[in-house]
Amino acid sequence: MKKEEIYYLMALTRIDRVGSVIARKLLRHFGSPKKIFDAKNTQLRMVDGISDVLVKKITSFKKFDLVDKELTFVDKNQIEILTIFDDNYPYLLKQCPDAPLFLFYKGIDFSTYQNMLSVVGTRNITSNGVSFIKEMIEQIKIYQPTIVSGYAFGADIHAHLSAIDHRLKTIAVLGHGLQHTYPAMHKKHNQKMLENGGFLTEFWSSDIVNKENFVRRNRIVAGMTAGTVVVESALRGGSLSTARLANDYSREVMAVPGRVTDVYSAGCNHLIKTQQAHLITSHQDIVHLMGWQVSEKQPKVVQPQLFVDLTDEEQLIADYLAKKDKELLDLISIDTKIPVHQLMVLLFNLEMKGLVKPLQGKYYQRV
């Protein structure tokens, strides 16, 4: 986006009661952030879900000095801004209805990441949990995953550091601005993080750090990855919040089981018991569920039928998958605008005609 549009996009998020969902409605209606601020009251009222109270808040907004101050901070600290309109905005996150309109980031080259996997768990992780994370990441490194977590104590930091040890990309999603590190003792890892991935956040340097920020942060962790692994968790905590959000986004959720007497296995056991997560005991379970393949191995070539008669919808899906290496069922539905229940029938028909094959993890691929 042009600098002027980024400026007004940032200003839009500073308007009280204008969250990601409302902002998207306004942007779809007016086409650009600046046009929202130029709009008259009558024009704003035409947007579905925009009340008179919101109209007044938009038209009376004067806090552009906050945007100026933040952009000065961004320039001074070599921070970059990625908007939801940019091509390299994380694709899976972009599909979430509450995705941030923009992200502040450092050290991340979004075009180089693949097989994104979030690893979350309790801050009070046990030695068994640490061992599982280290062994898991060592075993899946051949698939070159990008490990995403929240840079907190416990499972988060061990996931990041294990990724660094095996020269994997890793992204820390923060619940605060980039002006400081929380917890402070993790500052010693910042340089290695930047060399192997980096940091991103939706929060401004002027935002107050509070508990709610970390809950909001969890939706980014869940939304930008195709799968979430919960290593250890009590019955309440941020890890279960991340798992719930991942399920809401139709992502794969995996949990490591534990003894029924272990406090920090209770959350994982509950996820598995209530069918909110797949039970995993090794890295093979993750690879199977995610449908990962080693890039050096060539997939088996299957000869499709020639001169197959396709319906218009089948042709739409076939053409769509021809442009993709593979794609998630839910994303195919979103991009083709075909309901999931109908899409599954069409994909089965294409599979029978030798044009499509299903993969693990709700992926489909054009033959």
Side-chain angles (χ1 to χ4, degrees):
M1 293 185 74
K2 295 180 180 179
K3 287 186 177 180
E4 182 185 55
E5 292 299 319
I6 292 176
Y7 182 90
Y8 285 102
L9 187 67
M10 292 176 67
L12 184 62
T13 66
R14 293 285 90 176
I15 301 174
D16 183 34
R17 298 192 186 182
V18 176
S20 297
V21 176
I22 292 295
R24 282 193 175 195
K25 287 184 178 181
L26 289 165
L27 289 166
R28 281 195 296 268
H29 185 87
F30 291 101
S32 80
K34 187 176 186 304
K35 288 181 180 179
I36 296 171
F37 288 92
D38 292 337
K40 297 179 180 179
N41 290 16
T42 53
Q43 294 173 308
L44 290 167
R45 290 193 185 97
M46 294 175 63
V47 182
D48 181 47
I50 306 301
S51 65
D52 289 341
V53 174
L54 270 178
V55 169
K56 185 176 181 179
K57 288 183 177 295
I58 294 169
T59 55
S60 63
F61 179 78
K62 303 296 182 185
K63 298 180 180 179
F64 291 100
D65 59 311
L66 295 178
V67 182
D68 294 325
K69 182 179 179 180
E70 191 66 21
L71 287 174
T72 299
F73 172 82
V74 164
D75 290 339
K76 183 179 179 180
N77 292 278
Q78 293 82 53
I79 294 169
E80 298 185 72
I81 299 175
L82 182 71
T83 79
I84 200 167
F85 301 102
D86 295 326
D87 291 338
N88 56 342
Y89 188 96
Y91 180 74
L92 290 177
L93 183 59
K94 187 179 291 190
Q95 312 311 313
C96 302
D98 54 355
L101 296 182
F102 59 88
L103 298 164
F104 300 107
Y105 70 97
K106 290 192 74 170
I108 302 173
D109 179 0
F110 289 97
S111 64
T112 64
Y113 298 117
Q114 60 179 357
N115 293 344
M116 298 183 77
L117 180 74
S118 55
V119 180
V120 299
T122 177
R123 298 186 177 206
N124 302 300
I125 194 166
T126 68
S127 58
N128 287 336
V130 174
S131 296
F132 184 90
I133 289 174
K134 290 182 176 180
E135 181 178 349
M136 172 189 71
I137 291 179
E138 180 181 8
Q139 294 297 328
I140 64 175
K141 66 182 180 181
I142 189 172
Y143 302 97
Q144 291 296 296
T146 297
I147 304 300
V148 178
S149 199
Y151 214 48
F153 286 120
D156 290 17
I157 193 63
H158 284 290
H160 291 304
L161 295 179
S162 293
I164 291 171
D165 288 342
H166 295 289
R167 298 182 180 180
L168 296 174
K169 298 293 185 182
T170 185
I171 297 174
V173 184
L174 306 180
H176 51 77
L178 292 172
Q179 77 278 19
H180 60 252
T181 301
Y182 179 83
M185 68 179 296
H186 288 171
K187 283 184 179 180
K188 60 187 177 184
H189 306 306
N190 285 1
Q191 187 56 42
K192 286 186 177 180
M193 286 292 299
L194 291 171
E195 291 170 359
N196 292 271
F199 302 94
L200 69 82
T201 184
E202 67 176 314
F203 297 103
W204 299 35
S205 62
S206 58
D207 286 338
I208 298 173
V209 179
N210 57 40
K211 184 178 180 180
E212 287 70 28
N213 287 3
F214 294 95
V215 176
R216 288 177 58 190
R217 179 271 312 273
N218 292 343
R219 83 187 195 286
I220 301 177
V221 174
M224 69 186 295
T225 59
T228 294
V229 177
V230 185
V231 179
E232 288 182 332
S233 176
L235 278 173
R236 292 185 178 182
S239 302
L240 294 193
S241 166
T242 306
R244 176 181 57 78
L245 288 162
N247 273 312
D248 289 344
Y249 299 144
S250 297
R251 308 297 156 75
E252 298 289 0
V253 180
M254 298 154 273
V256 182
R259 294 178 300 187
V260 295
T261 55
D262 291 343
V263 174
Y264 294 108
S265 291
C268 292
N269 292 342
H270 175 75
L271 289 173
I272 296 166
K273 179 181 179 180
T274 56
Q275 298 183 348
Q276 296 180 69
H278 297 281
L279 185 156
I280 60 170
T281 57
S282 70
H283 76 282
Q284 290 101 327
D285 297 327
I286 298 171
V287 173
H288 173 76
L289 289 164
M290 300 303 295
W292 289 344
Q293 296 178 350
V294 180
S295 58
E296 289 78 10
K297 293 182 179 180
Q298 295 299 319
K300 181 180 178 181
V301 177
V302 179
Q303 180 64 44
Q305 297 179 29
L306 299 179
F307 310 112
V308 176
D309 290 328
L310 301 178
T311 65
D312 291 343
E313 288 181 323
E314 288 173 345
Q315 188 66 59
L316 173 63
I317 298 167
D319 292 342
Y320 173 84
L321 288 175
K323 299 175 183 178
K324 306 277 185 176
D325 175 36
K326 61 180 180 180
E327 193 54 274
L328 281 165
L329 173 67
D330 291 320
L331 294 184
I332 300 173
S333 175
I334 291 169
D335 291 342
T336 61
K337 296 181 174 58
I338 300 174
V340 171
H341 68 278
Q342 182 181 350
L343 178 61
M344 293 180 68
V345 175
L346 295 168
L347 285 167
F348 178 77
N349 292 341
L350 289 169
E351 182 184 352
M352 293 299 98
K353 294 176 180 179
L355 296 176
V356 167
K357 68 175 181 178
L359 304 173
Q360 295 294 334
K362 301 179 184 177
Y363 280 92
Y364 285 84
Q365 185 178 60
R366 175 72 187 265
V367 176

